[in-house]
């Protein structure tokens, strides 16, 4: 069975299997890091770690869904939607992080460490998924008998 083409029902869902492994990996990271931070750094540290992992997961999900949506509508939209999504996320993230930093919240260093760890975990899991996934093959029309 082949994946639905752009514009067909189920086209977006068919473009999202790459999210499963990174989501699972980040859930495992959170399940280990949040209690560890609670023991080592207290409730504020645990909140910072949870917020950092959640921020990374939400950011990557927004990117994944927006690119899958664009590809499901028209593959020509992928680059522009991806770039607009990225730019919008970076601006919003910068404003929110500046506001959080201005409060002097004690969990900010823990959040920063968790963001770095979650990005490494997500990227490693995504790379693992990509390396294990079969590459699509295409037959050119002039190669057919």
């Amino acid at each position: 069975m082949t994946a639905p083409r752009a514009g067909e029902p189920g086209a977006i869902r068919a473009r999202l299997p790459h999210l499963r492994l990174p989501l699972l990996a980040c859930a495992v990271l959170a399940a280990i890091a949040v209690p560890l931070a609670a023991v080592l750094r207290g409730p504020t540290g645990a909140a910072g770690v949870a917020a950092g992992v959640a921020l990374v997961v939400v950011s990557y999900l927004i990117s994944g869904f927006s690119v899958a949506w664009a590809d499901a509508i028209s593959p020509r939209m992928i680059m522009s939607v991806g770039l607009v999504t990225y730019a919008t996320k970076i601006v919003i993230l910068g404003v929110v992080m500046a506001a959080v930093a201005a409060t002097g919240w004690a969990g900010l260093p823990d959040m920063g460490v968790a963001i770095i760890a979650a990005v490494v975990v997500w990227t490693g899991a995504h790379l693992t998924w990509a390396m294990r996934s079969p590459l699509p093959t295409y037959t050119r029309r002039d190669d057919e008998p």
Side-chain angles (χ1 to χ4, degrees):
M1 180 171 178
T2 61
R5 299 175 67 107
E8 293 179 355
I12 295 174
R13 176 177 282 197
R15 288 156 172 79
L16 296 175
H18 66 281
L19 297 177
R20 289 185 192 120
L21 185 59
L23 280 171
L24 177 62
C26 283
V28 170
L29 173 65
I32 294 169
V34 171
L36 184 62
V39 169
L40 298 176
R41 307 274 293 165
T44 304
V49 168
V53 173
L55 183 71
V56 170
V57 168
V58 168
S59 175
Y60 280 122
L61 286 177
I62 289 169
S63 296
F65 279 109
S66 67
V67 170
W69 171 82
D71 188 36
I73 301 301
S74 172
R76 293 180 187 173
M77 294 172 47
I78 294 173
M79 180 66 83
S80 57
V81 168
L83 289 173
V84 168
T85 301
Y86 179 77
T88 304
K89 284 186 340 184
I90 293 303
V91 168
I92 292 171
L93 181 62
V95 169
V96 169
M97 290 306 292
V100 170
T103 67
W105 181 48
L108 197 58
D110 302 299
M111 184 178 181
V113 170
I115 288 171
I116 293 168
V119 166
V120 169
V121 166
W122 184 285
T123 304
H126 195 161
L127 181 61
T128 300
W129 177 88
M131 297 301 288
R132 292 181 177 180
S133 295
L135 294 174
T137 57
Y138 300 95
T139 304
R140 291 177 24 185
R141 291 179 193 213
D142 57 338
D143 289 346
E144 294 176 359

